[in-house]
Amino acid sequence: MKLWRIALRNVARNKRRSLLSGTAIAVATLSVVLLFSLIAGMLGDTVAIALTYDTGHVQVRHPEFGRYEHLSPVHLAVSDAETVQARLEALPVVASVLPRVRFGGAIYREDQNHAVYGIGVDFGREIAAAAQRLPHLAPDAGAPPALDDFARMWRLDLFGGVLPDPGARELLMSKTLADELGVTTGDKLTILTRTAVMSTQAWTFRISGLVGFPVGGLSRMVLLPIGVAQRFLQLDATGAVTDLVLYTARDDQVPDLVAAVSDAVGDRLQVRSWTEENAMYRLLQLATRIYDIISLVFFLLATTVIVNTTMMVVYERMREIGTIAALGMTGAQITRLFFLEALFIGVAAALVGVGLGIAVVLPLSQVGIDYTEAMEGVELNMSNIIYPQLSLRSTALVLCYSIAVTAAASFWPTRRAARLHPVTALRAT
Amino acid sequence: MRPCARRLLVAAGAVVLALAAAVPALALTGDEIIRRMERHERHDSMQSTGSMEITDRFGTRTKSFMSTALGDDRSLLEFTNPEEAGQKVLRLEDEIYLYFPDSEDVIHLQGAALRDSVLGSDFSYEDMTGSSSRLNDYEVVLEGTEEIDGHETYRLRLTAKRRDVVYPVQVAWVDSERFVTRRVELFSRRGRALKRMAVTEFREVGDKVIGTRLEMSDFMKKESMTVFTIDDIAIDEPVDESLFSLEELTF
């Protein structure tokens, strides 16, 4: 009889023991698949946030802006932005360039001071640039910019209204902030800010629409037409913007984009890629390394179960080992037999673990895991809903890894079985 | 009398005279010093023009203003430099209203918002517009005398009587000759230094001595100082009361 058949029969014969070993491996595999999918989802979310709201692939700014960003230093802006923008758009590696004006301000309402963060954007350009990156979400060609298109491209929830009129003192407001202020679409409010000439300025704006940002850190956001923002902040005289956000066609072209843009703008402006600017992404990359170690610990724990049960098998089956050895089975064959038993359990359990992992992750990747309550009051650059992402590569790796660990873990006890002398084994009670 | 004994008598007499001269000064209580100081600082009305030179990590900028005050609780500040031209700050008792020419609303400040900075300077709205008597808000203790910038001063510790007072503790150095403030340090309830103000120039207006150059540093801001200068000042002259109304503010 072939060894693998005997091994299979033994696995089936000791169902409870096989199930115990298999469950440990399956649970470890399932946990690691879930963990990796969640991390992949968080990384994907961070990338989407950076590309949409923050830096794009590459961000061009005044060299000092980042250092004082918490003070909203709009006077540290990119002057004559249109000329710089035209020069950058001419670079072959550049897919699109978006001018933006970021500022901070305060809204005094009901005797309370509410902090507000604003971005002046060109809504039409934003939709067009996002459509290049996300063609499946793109609006009909030639359609005028509309709020639902913008909300779709910017992953915003829509609570009614229209895009601000490009020349009017109108803005889109975060629904969270609007609720805090007790205002809604059509209402007016006054924002106080410090301008590029370091003066204090207050303008009254009409709320043209309400949107929900997926990120807690953006809950105090207002979006207004870039020309209006420039006039509000007295940047219009120099045609300045605080950010130029650049995109390239593919993520792997970012190093080329950084090099080309750096050459084009020289030392007078700071050029940073989104991975350099994004602390959350770097943190998650570090977390991925840590989770690799945690996965290893999971498997080590599972390994102790495998070693334990295989040892139990060897001790419980001493007479059997003695019998098959007396019948002529060599030590190497006995080793192979027990190794195959462990391997079959390992393969089956790893497949079950991966299968269960896929079964859990696939629906979660559609509905997401809602952290809204947990994230309340936390201003992190992470979405309130995380959609786990199943990676074929990491799932296959987990499968191979769990089988390899199982096989390696069973090697030592099976070697012990092979070393037993038939007479000693037969005497064992 | 022997010459030695006579010398001793003369010396003793000199000591007695010196002590006698010092007694009136030391006999003053903290409250009395504050009363004499506030005789120079509190007016029935005041009109002035001046400027604020604000220096921070981003450089120096100057804001000019016109100010009118009536009694302790009504004042109107209007900025006249081109960047903030027409912006006004109206104080009516404990409430402050900000008027911006480009805004449809008047911004109403009260409570903690009174501590917000005026135009990014080291002065808060409370610093710029409040002028009620310190004796209403603080217990005053005379801690001794010290020399500040070559002038003999009384060192006073003012501790707030109530929790809603903006600066819970103040230490003030008051010129012992002219009874004007030379320096004030402002502290939180836990003793953390918040601000320091030094008065470096004075002008006599009638029988009052007015500080016309004040240097204020807010320790909560890095590398920051504001120099407040009064160019012209008129005290206790008639002022149109209608200036201090919301209707007039937005007119």
Side-chain angles (χ1 to χ4, degrees), chain A residues 221-262:
Chain A
M221 188 65 72
V222 293
L223 299 169
L224 54 161
I226 189 163
V228 176
Q230 284 175 311
R231 288 201 300 282
F232 180 38
L233 298 160
Q234 297 181 299
L235 287 164
D236 51 331
T238 53
V241 298
T242 59
D243 300 8
L244 284 170
V245 172
L246 287 87
Y247 295 93
T248 185
R250 296 195 321 267
D251 290 355
D252 61 355
Q253 288 180 323
V254 172
D256 298 335
L257 181 65
V258 172
V261 174
S262 299

mmCIF file of all heavy atoms in Angstrom, chain A residues 221-262:
data_model
loop_
_atom_site.group_PDB
_atom_site.id
_atom_site.type_symbol
_atom_site.label_atom_id
_atom_site.label_comp_id
_atom_site.label_asym_id
_atom_site.label_seq_id
_atom_site.Cartn_x
_atom_site.Cartn_y
_atom_site.Cartn_z
ATOM 1 N N MET A 221 -14.339 70.831 6.972
ATOM 2 C CA MET A 221 -13.913 71.346 5.668
ATOM 3 C C MET A 221 -15.005 72.132 4.949
ATOM 4 O O MET A 221 -16.179 71.792 5.034
ATOM 5 C CB MET A 221 -13.480 70.149 4.809
ATOM 6 C CG MET A 221 -12.847 70.496 3.503
ATOM 7 S SD MET A 221 -11.275 71.351 3.697
ATOM 8 C CE MET A 221 -10.236 70.033 4.279
ATOM 9 N N VAL A 222 -14.556 73.192 4.267
ATOM 10 C CA VAL A 222 -15.422 73.852 3.293
ATOM 11 C C VAL A 222 -14.652 73.921 1.975
ATOM 12 O O VAL A 222 -13.432 74.009 1.971
ATOM 13 C CB VAL A 222 -15.845 75.278 3.728
ATOM 14 C CG1 VAL A 222 -16.736 75.233 4.946
ATOM 15 C CG2 VAL A 222 -14.646 76.179 3.978
ATOM 16 N N LEU A 223 -15.383 73.837 0.869
ATOM 17 C CA LEU A 223 -14.774 73.907 -0.461
ATOM 18 C C LEU A 223 -15.390 75.087 -1.195
ATOM 19 O O LEU A 223 -16.608 75.239 -1.208
ATOM 20 C CB LEU A 223 -15.043 72.617 -1.242
ATOM 21 C CG LEU A 223 -14.485 71.325 -0.629
ATOM 22 C CD1 LEU A 223 -15.045 70.107 -1.363
ATOM 23 C CD2 LEU A 223 -12.966 71.313 -0.701
ATOM 24 N N LEU A 224 -14.530 75.917 -1.783
ATOM 25 C CA LEU A 224 -15.070 77.072 -2.492
ATOM 26 C C LEU A 224 -14.306 77.265 -3.797
ATOM 27 O O LEU A 224 -13.210 76.723 -3.966
ATOM 28 C CB LEU A 224 -15.017 78.322 -1.622
ATOM 29 C CG LEU A 224 -13.712 78.776 -0.986
ATOM 30 C CD1 LEU A 224 -13.823 80.246 -0.596
ATOM 31 C CD2 LEU A 224 -13.414 77.986 0.260
ATOM 32 N N PRO A 225 -14.873 78.015 -4.730
ATOM 33 C CA PRO A 225 -14.189 78.210 -6.008
ATOM 34 C C PRO A 225 -12.829 78.875 -5.781
ATOM 35 O O PRO A 225 -12.708 79.782 -4.966
ATOM 36 C CB PRO A 225 -15.130 79.152 -6.773
ATOM 37 C CG PRO A 225 -16.457 78.984 -6.115
ATOM 38 C CD PRO A 225 -16.180 78.677 -4.687
ATOM 39 N N ILE A 226 -11.835 78.400 -6.523
ATOM 40 C CA ILE A 226 -10.470 78.848 -6.252
ATOM 41 C C ILE A 226 -10.310 80.372 -6.445
ATOM 42 O O ILE A 226 -9.594 81.011 -5.671
ATOM 43 C CB ILE A 226 -9.448 78.047 -7.120
ATOM 44 C CG1 ILE A 226 -8.027 78.382 -6.641
ATOM 45 C CG2 ILE A 226 -9.617 78.304 -8.598
ATOM 46 C CD1 ILE A 226 -6.983 77.415 -7.095
ATOM 47 N N GLY A 227 -11.002 80.919 -7.420
ATOM 48 C CA GLY A 227 -10.889 82.369 -7.653
ATOM 49 C C GLY A 227 -11.419 83.164 -6.460
ATOM 50 O O GLY A 227 -10.844 84.178 -6.055
ATOM 51 N N VAL A 228 -12.505 82.683 -5.886
ATOM 52 C CA VAL A 228 -13.095 83.343 -4.710
ATOM 53 C C VAL A 228 -12.144 83.226 -3.520
ATOM 54 O O VAL A 228 -11.905 84.198 -2.794
ATOM 55 C CB VAL A 228 -14.470 82.704 -4.380
ATOM 56 C CG1 VAL A 228 -15.054 83.292 -3.103
ATOM 57 C CG2 VAL A 228 -15.434 82.882 -5.541
ATOM 58 N N ALA A 229 -11.571 82.025 -3.376
ATOM 59 C CA ALA A 229 -10.617 81.817 -2.267
ATOM 60 C C ALA A 229 -9.414 82.747 -2.426
ATOM 61 O O ALA A 229 -8.933 83.323 -1.442
ATOM 62 C CB ALA A 229 -10.172 80.361 -2.232
ATOM 63 N N GLN A 230 -8.948 82.897 -3.660
ATOM 64 C CA GLN A 230 -7.789 83.789 -3.887
ATOM 65 C C GLN A 230 -8.116 85.231 -3.518
ATOM 66 O O GLN A 230 -7.308 85.925 -2.917
ATOM 67 C CB GLN A 230 -7.336 83.701 -5.351
ATOM 68 C CG GLN A 230 -6.559 82.428 -5.646
ATOM 69 C CD GLN A 230 -6.217 82.296 -7.114
ATOM 70 O OE1 GLN A 230 -7.087 82.457 -7.979
ATOM 71 N NE2 GLN A 230 -4.965 82.005 -7.415
ATOM 72 N N ARG A 231 -9.331 85.669 -3.857
ATOM 73 C CA ARG A 231 -9.707 87.056 -3.511
ATOM 74 C C ARG A 231 -9.884 87.197 -2.004
ATOM 75 O O ARG A 231 -9.447 88.171 -1.408
ATOM 76 C CB ARG A 231 -11.002 87.443 -4.238
ATOM 77 C CG ARG A 231 -10.816 87.653 -5.733
ATOM 78 C CD ARG A 231 -11.932 88.495 -6.333
ATOM 79 N NE ARG A 231 -13.250 87.903 -6.170
ATOM 80 C CZ ARG A 231 -13.739 86.912 -6.908
ATOM 81 N NH1 ARG A 231 -13.014 86.383 -7.892
ATOM 82 N NH2 ARG A 231 -14.962 86.454 -6.699
ATOM 83 N N PHE A 232 -10.520 86.200 -1.389
ATOM 84 C CA PHE A 232 -10.751 86.221 0.060
ATOM 85 C C PHE A 232 -9.420 86.341 0.816
ATOM 86 O O PHE A 232 -9.287 87.095 1.774
ATOM 87 C CB PHE A 232 -11.490 84.928 0.437
ATOM 88 C CG PHE A 232 -11.822 84.765 1.897
ATOM 89 C CD1 PHE A 232 -12.213 85.843 2.675
ATOM 90 C CD2 PHE A 232 -11.771 83.511 2.498
ATOM 91 C CE1 PHE A 232 -12.535 85.681 4.028
ATOM 92 C CE2 PHE A 232 -12.090 83.340 3.838
ATOM 93 C CZ PHE A 232 -12.465 84.431 4.601
ATOM 94 N N LEU A 233 -8.434 85.580 0.325
ATOM 95 C CA LEU A 233 -7.137 85.535 1.019
ATOM 96 C C LEU A 233 -6.129 86.531 0.452
ATOM 97 O O LEU A 233 -4.960 86.500 0.818
ATOM 98 C CB LEU A 233 -6.571 84.107 0.939
ATOM 99 C CG LEU A 233 -7.451 83.067 1.618
ATOM 100 C CD1 LEU A 233 -7.141 81.673 1.126
ATOM 101 C CD2 LEU A 233 -7.296 83.140 3.126
ATOM 102 N N GLN A 234 -6.586 87.386 -0.436
ATOM 103 C CA GLN A 234 -5.747 88.411 -1.065
ATOM 104 C C GLN A 234 -4.532 87.793 -1.779
ATOM 105 O O GLN A 234 -3.421 88.312 -1.702
ATOM 106 C CB GLN A 234 -5.329 89.457 -0.025
ATOM 107 C CG GLN A 234 -6.555 90.200 0.524
ATOM 108 C CD GLN A 234 -6.207 91.275 1.535
ATOM 109 O OE1 GLN A 234 -5.648 90.977 2.569
ATOM 110 N NE2 GLN A 234 -6.549 92.506 1.242
ATOM 111 N N LEU A 235 -4.786 86.667 -2.436
ATOM 112 C CA LEU A 235 -3.756 86.017 -3.245
ATOM 113 C C LEU A 235 -3.925 86.363 -4.716
ATOM 114 O O LEU A 235 -3.079 86.019 -5.545
ATOM 115 C CB LEU A 235 -3.854 84.490 -3.103
ATOM 116 C CG LEU A 235 -3.397 83.883 -1.776
ATOM 117 C CD1 LEU A 235 -3.901 82.459 -1.634
ATOM 118 C CD2 LEU A 235 -1.889 83.911 -1.652
ATOM 119 N N ASP A 236 -5.037 87.028 -5.044
ATOM 120 C CA ASP A 236 -5.360 87.262 -6.454
ATOM 121 C C ASP A 236 -4.376 88.223 -7.128
ATOM 122 O O ASP A 236 -4.085 88.082 -8.316
ATOM 123 C CB ASP A 236 -6.801 87.769 -6.611
ATOM 124 C CG ASP A 236 -7.120 88.949 -5.719
ATOM 125 O OD1 ASP A 236 -6.507 89.057 -4.639
ATOM 126 O OD2 ASP A 236 -7.986 89.775 -6.080
ATOM 127 N N ALA A 237 -3.824 89.168 -6.367
ATOM 128 C CA ALA A 237 -2.919 90.153 -6.983
ATOM 129 C C ALA A 237 -1.679 89.473 -7.550
ATOM 130 O O ALA A 237 -1.158 89.893 -8.599
ATOM 131 C CB ALA A 237 -2.515 91.197 -5.949
ATOM 132 N N THR A 238 -1.207 88.418 -6.896
ATOM 133 C CA THR A 238 0.000 87.725 -7.366
ATOM 134 C C THR A 238 -0.350 86.420 -8.085
ATOM 135 O O THR A 238 0.549 85.691 -8.517
ATOM 136 C CB THR A 238 0.925 87.388 -6.174
ATOM 137 O OG1 THR A 238 0.152 86.671 -5.195
ATOM 138 C CG2 THR A 238 1.513 88.630 -5.546
ATOM 139 N N GLY A 239 -1.622 86.145 -8.228
ATOM 140 C CA GLY A 239 -2.054 84.900 -8.883
ATOM 141 C C GLY A 239 -1.494 83.678 -8.183
ATOM 142 O O GLY A 239 -1.111 82.698 -8.812
ATOM 143 N N ALA A 240 -1.442 83.755 -6.849
ATOM 144 C CA ALA A 240 -0.774 82.689 -6.095
ATOM 145 C C ALA A 240 -1.756 81.622 -5.630
ATOM 146 O O ALA A 240 -2.950 81.882 -5.450
ATOM 147 C CB ALA A 240 -0.054 83.290 -4.898
ATOM 148 N N VAL A 241 -1.224 80.429 -5.446
ATOM 149 C CA VAL A 241 -1.976 79.332 -4.823
ATOM 150 C C VAL A 241 -1.062 78.716 -3.770
ATOM 151 O O VAL A 241 0.154 78.895 -3.814
ATOM 152 C CB VAL A 241 -2.399 78.255 -5.853
ATOM 153 C CG1 VAL A 241 -3.310 78.832 -6.906
ATOM 154 C CG2 VAL A 241 -1.181 77.585 -6.483
ATOM 155 N N THR A 242 -1.646 77.987 -2.822
ATOM 156 C CA THR A 242 -0.789 77.359 -1.815
ATOM 157 C C THR A 242 -0.237 76.025 -2.297
ATOM 158 O O THR A 242 0.850 75.630 -1.903
ATOM 159 C CB THR A 242 -1.559 77.136 -0.492
ATOM 160 O OG1 THR A 242 -2.683 76.306 -0.754
ATOM 161 C CG2 THR A 242 -2.016 78.453 0.115
ATOM 162 N N ASP A 243 -1.009 75.322 -3.145
ATOM 163 C CA ASP A 243 -0.583 73.991 -3.610
ATOM 164 C C ASP A 243 -0.764 73.866 -5.125
ATOM 165 O O ASP A 243 -1.752 74.367 -5.668
ATOM 166 C CB ASP A 243 -1.477 72.874 -3.032
ATOM 167 C CG ASP A 243 -1.490 72.810 -1.527
ATOM 168 O OD1 ASP A 243 -0.942 73.712 -0.891
ATOM 169 O OD2 ASP A 243 -2.068 71.839 -1.016
ATOM 170 N N LEU A 244 0.157 73.165 -5.730
ATOM 171 C CA LEU A 244 -0.095 72.625 -7.066
ATOM 172 C C LEU A 244 -0.045 71.104 -6.912
ATOM 173 O O LEU A 244 0.959 70.562 -6.432
ATOM 174 C CB LEU A 244 0.960 73.103 -8.056
ATOM 175 C CG LEU A 244 0.810 74.552 -8.531
ATOM 176 C CD1 LEU A 244 2.034 74.993 -9.319
ATOM 177 C CD2 LEU A 244 -0.442 74.750 -9.371
ATOM 178 N N VAL A 245 -1.132 70.461 -7.262
ATOM 179 C CA VAL A 245 -1.249 69.018 -7.061
ATOM 180 C C VAL A 245 -1.128 68.354 -8.429
ATOM 181 O O VAL A 245 -1.875 68.684 -9.350
ATOM 182 C CB VAL A 245 -2.614 68.698 -6.406
ATOM 183 C CG1 VAL A 245 -2.873 67.212 -6.354
ATOM 184 C CG2 VAL A 245 -2.666 69.304 -5.008
ATOM 185 N N LEU A 246 -0.169 67.448 -8.546
ATOM 186 C CA LEU A 246 0.104 66.847 -9.853
ATOM 187 C C LEU A 246 -0.206 65.351 -9.857
ATOM 188 O O LEU A 246 0.001 64.669 -8.850
ATOM 189 C CB LEU A 246 1.584 67.027 -10.221
ATOM 190 C CG LEU A 246 2.012 68.435 -10.618
ATOM 191 C CD1 LEU A 246 2.392 69.252 -9.418
ATOM 192 C CD2 LEU A 246 3.171 68.381 -11.597
ATOM 193 N N TYR A 247 -0.639 64.896 -11.019
ATOM 194 C CA TYR A 247 -0.897 63.462 -11.199
ATOM 195 C C TYR A 247 -0.125 62.971 -12.413
ATOM 196 O O TYR A 247 0.107 63.724 -13.367
ATOM 197 C CB TYR A 247 -2.395 63.196 -11.435
ATOM 198 C CG TYR A 247 -3.247 63.545 -10.244
ATOM 199 C CD1 TYR A 247 -3.838 64.796 -10.133
ATOM 200 C CD2 TYR A 247 -3.431 62.629 -9.213
ATOM 201 C CE1 TYR A 247 -4.605 65.127 -9.031
ATOM 202 C CE2 TYR A 247 -4.199 62.954 -8.109
ATOM 203 C CZ TYR A 247 -4.780 64.200 -8.029
ATOM 204 O OH TYR A 247 -5.528 64.522 -6.935
ATOM 205 N N THR A 248 0.254 61.715 -12.343
ATOM 206 C CA THR A 248 0.830 61.054 -13.501
ATOM 207 C C THR A 248 -0.102 59.891 -13.875
ATOM 208 O O THR A 248 -1.039 59.590 -13.139
ATOM 209 C CB THR A 248 2.262 60.571 -13.192
ATOM 210 O OG1 THR A 248 2.829 60.032 -14.367
ATOM 211 C CG2 THR A 248 2.296 59.534 -12.079
ATOM 212 N N ALA A 249 0.177 59.275 -15.018
ATOM 213 C CA ALA A 249 -0.784 58.272 -15.503
ATOM 214 C C ALA A 249 -0.782 57.020 -14.646
ATOM 215 O O ALA A 249 -1.824 56.413 -14.423
ATOM 216 C CB ALA A 249 -0.458 57.926 -16.962
ATOM 217 N N ARG A 250 0.414 56.638 -14.156
ATOM 218 C CA ARG A 250 0.493 55.387 -13.363
ATOM 219 C C ARG A 250 1.267 55.649 -12.080
ATOM 220 O O ARG A 250 2.200 56.465 -12.051
ATOM 221 C CB ARG A 250 1.218 54.302 -14.175
ATOM 222 C CG ARG A 250 0.518 53.865 -15.443
ATOM 223 C CD ARG A 250 1.123 52.534 -15.963
ATOM 224 N NE ARG A 250 2.565 52.464 -15.815
ATOM 225 C CZ ARG A 250 3.421 52.817 -16.768
ATOM 226 N NH1 ARG A 250 2.992 53.284 -17.926
ATOM 227 N NH2 ARG A 250 4.714 52.695 -16.557
ATOM 228 N N ASP A 251 0.883 54.915 -11.021
ATOM 229 C CA ASP A 251 1.530 55.112 -9.719
ATOM 230 C C ASP A 251 3.040 54.872 -9.779
ATOM 231 O O ASP A 251 3.806 55.529 -9.090
ATOM 232 C CB ASP A 251 0.918 54.164 -8.675
ATOM 233 C CG ASP A 251 -0.512 54.562 -8.317
ATOM 234 O OD1 ASP A 251 -0.976 55.613 -8.813
ATOM 235 O OD2 ASP A 251 -1.152 53.821 -7.557
ATOM 236 N N ASP A 252 3.465 53.921 -10.624
ATOM 237 C CA ASP A 252 4.898 53.610 -10.650
ATOM 238 C C ASP A 252 5.729 54.679 -11.367
ATOM 239 O O ASP A 252 6.950 54.593 -11.418
ATOM 240 C CB ASP A 252 5.131 52.219 -11.279
ATOM 241 C CG ASP A 252 4.633 52.140 -12.723
ATOM 242 O OD1 ASP A 252 4.028 53.111 -13.191
ATOM 243 O OD2 ASP A 252 4.856 51.093 -13.367
ATOM 244 N N GLN A 253 5.052 55.681 -11.929
ATOM 245 C CA GLN A 253 5.792 56.760 -12.602
ATOM 246 C C GLN A 253 6.096 57.929 -11.649
ATOM 247 O O GLN A 253 6.676 58.923 -12.075
ATOM 248 C CB GLN A 253 4.976 57.308 -13.783
ATOM 249 C CG GLN A 253 4.907 56.357 -14.962
ATOM 250 C CD GLN A 253 4.077 56.947 -16.099
ATOM 251 O OE1 GLN A 253 3.076 57.616 -15.856
ATOM 252 N NE2 GLN A 253 4.499 56.696 -17.315
ATOM 253 N N VAL A 254 5.693 57.773 -10.396
ATOM 254 C CA VAL A 254 5.850 58.899 -9.456
ATOM 255 C C VAL A 254 7.311 59.344 -9.314
ATOM 256 O O VAL A 254 7.592 60.549 -9.346
ATOM 257 C CB VAL A 254 5.215 58.552 -8.084
ATOM 258 C CG1 VAL A 254 5.534 59.618 -7.055
ATOM 259 C CG2 VAL A 254 3.704 58.423 -8.236
ATOM 260 N N PRO A 255 8.294 58.407 -9.189
ATOM 261 C CA PRO A 255 9.690 58.872 -9.103
ATOM 262 C C PRO A 255 10.104 59.714 -10.325
ATOM 263 O O PRO A 255 10.806 60.722 -10.189
ATOM 264 C CB PRO A 255 10.497 57.579 -9.017
ATOM 265 C CG PRO A 255 9.539 56.577 -8.455
ATOM 266 C CD PRO A 255 8.202 56.949 -9.005
ATOM 267 N N ASP A 256 9.645 59.296 -11.504
ATOM 268 C CA ASP A 256 9.951 60.066 -12.722
ATOM 269 C C ASP A 256 9.289 61.440 -12.649
ATOM 270 O O ASP A 256 9.874 62.451 -13.062
ATOM 271 C CB ASP A 256 9.437 59.333 -13.982
ATOM 272 C CG ASP A 256 10.101 57.983 -14.150
ATOM 273 O OD1 ASP A 256 11.219 57.827 -13.630
ATOM 274 O OD2 ASP A 256 9.480 57.099 -14.771
ATOM 275 N N LEU A 257 8.070 61.461 -12.126
ATOM 276 C CA LEU A 257 7.335 62.726 -12.009
ATOM 277 C C LEU A 257 8.077 63.677 -11.059
ATOM 278 O O LEU A 257 8.262 64.859 -11.365
ATOM 279 C CB LEU A 257 5.917 62.447 -11.491
ATOM 280 C CG LEU A 257 4.998 63.650 -11.329
ATOM 281 C CD1 LEU A 257 4.698 64.287 -12.673
ATOM 282 C CD2 LEU A 257 3.686 63.243 -10.645
ATOM 283 N N VAL A 258 8.526 63.135 -9.923
ATOM 284 C CA VAL A 258 9.255 63.961 -8.945
ATOM 285 C C VAL A 258 10.507 64.548 -9.607
ATOM 286 O O VAL A 258 10.776 65.749 -9.488
ATOM 287 C CB VAL A 258 9.643 63.126 -7.694
ATOM 288 C CG1 VAL A 258 10.561 63.917 -6.778
ATOM 289 C CG2 VAL A 258 8.396 62.692 -6.934
ATOM 290 N N ALA A 259 11.239 63.699 -10.324
ATOM 291 C CA ALA A 259 12.485 64.160 -10.952
ATOM 292 C C ALA A 259 12.201 65.248 -11.983
ATOM 293 O O ALA A 259 12.868 66.302 -12.003
ATOM 294 C CB ALA A 259 13.192 62.981 -11.605
ATOM 295 N N ALA A 260 11.208 65.017 -12.832
ATOM 296 C CA ALA A 260 10.908 65.989 -13.899
ATOM 297 C C ALA A 260 10.411 67.312 -13.320
ATOM 298 O O ALA A 260 10.828 68.391 -13.762
ATOM 299 C CB ALA A 260 9.845 65.399 -14.833
ATOM 300 N N VAL A 261 9.542 67.238 -12.310
ATOM 301 C CA VAL A 261 8.989 68.464 -11.712
ATOM 302 C C VAL A 261 10.087 69.227 -10.957
ATOM 303 O O VAL A 261 10.170 70.453 -11.037
ATOM 304 C CB VAL A 261 7.795 68.123 -10.777
ATOM 305 C CG1 VAL A 261 7.308 69.358 -10.035
ATOM 306 C CG2 VAL A 261 6.659 67.523 -11.582
ATOM 307 N N SER A 262 10.945 68.495 -10.251
ATOM 308 C CA SER A 262 12.043 69.151 -9.533
ATOM 309 C C SER A 262 12.937 69.906 -10.499
ATOM 310 O O SER A 262 13.363 71.035 -10.221
ATOM 311 C CB SER A 262 12.876 68.119 -8.755
ATOM 312 O OG SER A 262 12.078 67.477 -7.814
#
